């Protein structure tokens, strides 16, 4: 859906430049030049857009629910690691970019969903996603949020990134996280408390063409992902009036569980050993969060996360 919207916005911009209203396109280019760094400086959210009625129906369609397991004090800043990516990242968007129950469950905390920087290069589309509270996933963007004085700010990062979307098959529990340690270093540098978040049902929204590691399709997808900055999973689900084929996600419930915070003491120059230790602790807490809740959401007892 995001890619379709981005393509529409880019197409509209090209038409604007080539039309009799080309001067509006030029004015927008000047604005873009002036505003280029905003996605790395906290973005520009509008609560009225986050509260659009359409997002209420979006959350109710699946439905999407946010579950709190522990308090998050507004005296601290947090780095929330979201898992898994899935195809749509519906749980992350529905819970952190719309008028969901987050504000009620975690009063005093402002979430910022970090996404791949390439989306902020799309004319007009960048304004739309910033208005919902999305910001760049670049290091300087995460630092901007976690550096805010007084606490009460949360960077939400989909740790597996676009690459993990290629594993988003129904029933899949594979997380691309063992080599992802940059978020750990950021948490240490800023003293941001780490919070594991697991979204049950995220991988059940679409069916994806079989692409096991080592296959020709997977190799092509991984090469394209490195070139373009985002993955291209070949997925399908249901249509508007039939359930056989289409691009509308299946109506599968999504339960996003926010775990307990892992206290992190600020360390401006963490060693590799310190990063490894905190990374291992994070994996343990994430695994425990999954194990404590999997029975409630239809995961068989013998199934476990694969890192």
């Amino acid at each position: 859906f995001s890619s379709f919207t981005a393509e529409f916005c880019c197409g509209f911009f090209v038409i604007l430049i080539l039309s009799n209203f080309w001067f509006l396109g030029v004015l927008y280019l000047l604005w873009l030049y002036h505003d280029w760094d905003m996605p790395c400086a906290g973005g520009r959210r509008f609560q009225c857009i986050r509260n659009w009625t359409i997002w209420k129906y979006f959350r109710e369609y699946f439905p999407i629910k946010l579950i709190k397991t522990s308090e998050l004090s507004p005296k601290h800043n947090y780095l929330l690691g979201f898992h898994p990516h899935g195809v749509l990242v519906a749980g992350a968007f529905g819970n952190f970019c719309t008028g969901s129950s987050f504000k009620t469950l975690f009063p005093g905390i402002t979430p910022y969903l970090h996404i791949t920087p390439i989306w902020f290069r799309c004319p007009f589309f960048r304004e739309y996603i910033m208005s919902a509270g999305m910001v760049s996933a670049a290091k300087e963007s995460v630092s901007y949020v976690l550096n805010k004085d007084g606490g009460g700010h949360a960077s939400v990062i989909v740790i597996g990134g676009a690459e993990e979307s290629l594993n988003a098959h129904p029933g899949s529990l594979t997380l691309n996280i063992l080599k992802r340690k940059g978020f750990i270093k950021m948490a240490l540098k800023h003293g941001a408390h780490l919070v594991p978040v697991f979204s049950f049902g995220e991988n059940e929204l679409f069916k994806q063409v079989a692409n096991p590691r080592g296959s020709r399709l997977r190799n092509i997808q991984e090469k394209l992902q490195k070139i373009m900055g985002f993955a291209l999973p070949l997925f399908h689900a249901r249509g508007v009036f039939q359930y056989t084929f289409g691009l509308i996600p299946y109506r599968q419930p999504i339960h996003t569980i926010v775990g307990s915070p892992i206290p992190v003491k600020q360390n401006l120059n963490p060693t590799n050993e310190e990063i490894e230790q905190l990374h291992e602790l994070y994996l343990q807490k994430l695994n425990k969060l999954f194990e404590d809740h999997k029975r409630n959401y239809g995961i068989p007892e013998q199934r476990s996360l694969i890192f």
Side-chain angles (χ1 to χ4, degrees):
F1 177 76
S2 297
S3 61
F4 294 152
T5 308
E7 289 171 5
F8 173 81
C9 290
C10 290
F12 176 75
F13 177 73
V14 171
I15 293 173
L16 192 65
I17 288 290
L18 298 177
S19 71
N20 293 331
F21 298 96
W22 58 268
F23 61 92
L24 293 177
V26 173
L27 287 176
Y28 181 78
L29 282 176
L30 293 174
W31 161 256
L32 200 60
Y33 176 79
H34 170 75
D35 197 58
W36 189 255
D37 294 330
M38 185 56 68
C40 291
R44 188 185 300 105
R45 70 178 61 208
F46 292 100
Q47 199 60 40
C48 59
I49 293 178
R50 289 167 60 88
N51 289 334
W52 275 352
T53 302
I54 190 174
W55 303 136
K56 175 177 178 289
Y57 293 122
F58 173 80
R59 295 191 303 271
E60 291 178 350
Y61 172 79
F62 298 98
I64 297 173
K65 294 184 179 180
L66 187 67
I67 292 92
K68 170 183 176 180
T69 65
S70 180
E71 296 290 340
L72 296 184
S73 170
K75 296 180 180 179
H76 303 290
N77 289 330
Y78 299 90
L79 195 159
L80 277 61
F82 184 92
H83 313 270
H85 185 287
V87 170
L88 191 62
V89 207
F93 177 79
N95 287 309
F96 304 117
C97 296
T98 71
S100 68
S101 59
F102 184 90
K103 193 172 183 180
T104 303
L105 294 175
F106 303 102
I109 306 292
T110 301
Y112 297 80
L113 179 60
H114 296 268
I115 64 174
T116 184
I118 193 172
W119 295 117
F120 296 98
R121 299 171 189 167
C122 300
F124 300 115
F125 183 68
R126 69 189 295 274
E127 322 302 336
Y128 161 66
I129 56 180
M130 276 197 292
S131 69
M134 285 178 262
V135 292
S136 172
K139 290 181 181 179
E140 56 267 32
S141 177
V142 178
S143 292
Y144 183 91
V145 174
L146 299 182
N147 265 336
K148 285 180 173 289
D149 295 330
H153 299 88
S155 283
V156 183
I157 302 177
V158 184
I159 304 300
E163 185 180 348
E164 193 174 83
S165 67
L166 300 178
N167 294 326
H169 297 271
S172 174
L173 296 174
T174 300
L175 302 182
N176 184 27
I177 189 174
L178 286 182
K179 296 182 180 179
R180 301 288 175 120
K181 299 173 185 177
F183 74 103
I184 298 292
K185 189 174 183 179
M186 294 297 290
L188 282 166
K189 280 190 170 184
H190 299 287
H193 293 195
L194 280 167
V195 182
V197 179
F198 194 87
S199 195
F200 289 91
E202 199 74 46
N203 284 339
E204 318 307 315
L205 306 185
F206 296 93
K207 292 179 180 178
Q208 191 173 166
V209 175
N211 60 342
R213 289 190 180 277
S215 65
R216 180 178 297 181
L217 174 59
R218 185 60 169 259
N219 290 336
I220 293 173
Q221 289 175 318
E222 290 176 347
K223 287 179 181 178
L224 289 174
Q225 189 265 324
K226 290 178 181 179
I227 294 172
M228 298 185 298
F230 58 91
L232 291 173
L234 299 180
F235 61 89
H236 67 89
R238 54 163 291 184
V240 177
F241 301 111
Q242 46 77 29
Y243 292 84
T244 306
F245 187 84
L247 295 178
I248 297 176
Y250 294 116
R251 295 192 70 176
Q252 296 289 339
I254 298 173
H255 296 88
T256 303
I257 317 294
V258 180
S260 301
I262 303 170
V264 177
K265 186 177 180 181
Q266 187 173 24
N267 183 348
L268 296 177
N269 296 293
T271 64
N272 288 336
E273 183 180 0
E274 289 168 331
I275 293 173
E276 289 287 348
Q277 288 177 350
L278 185 55
H279 187 259
E280 181 60 31
L281 177 60
Y282 179 86
L283 292 181
Q284 293 173 10
K285 295 293 185 180
L286 174 60
N287 191 62
K288 185 178 186 304
L289 179 69
F290 173 80
E291 292 293 331
D292 287 347
H293 294 273
K294 68 180 184 181
R295 300 168 193 81
N296 298 330
Y297 306 110
I299 307 296
E301 183 67 32
Q302 66 274 18
R303 297 294 307 282
S304 300
L305 291 179
I306 300 173
F307 296 142

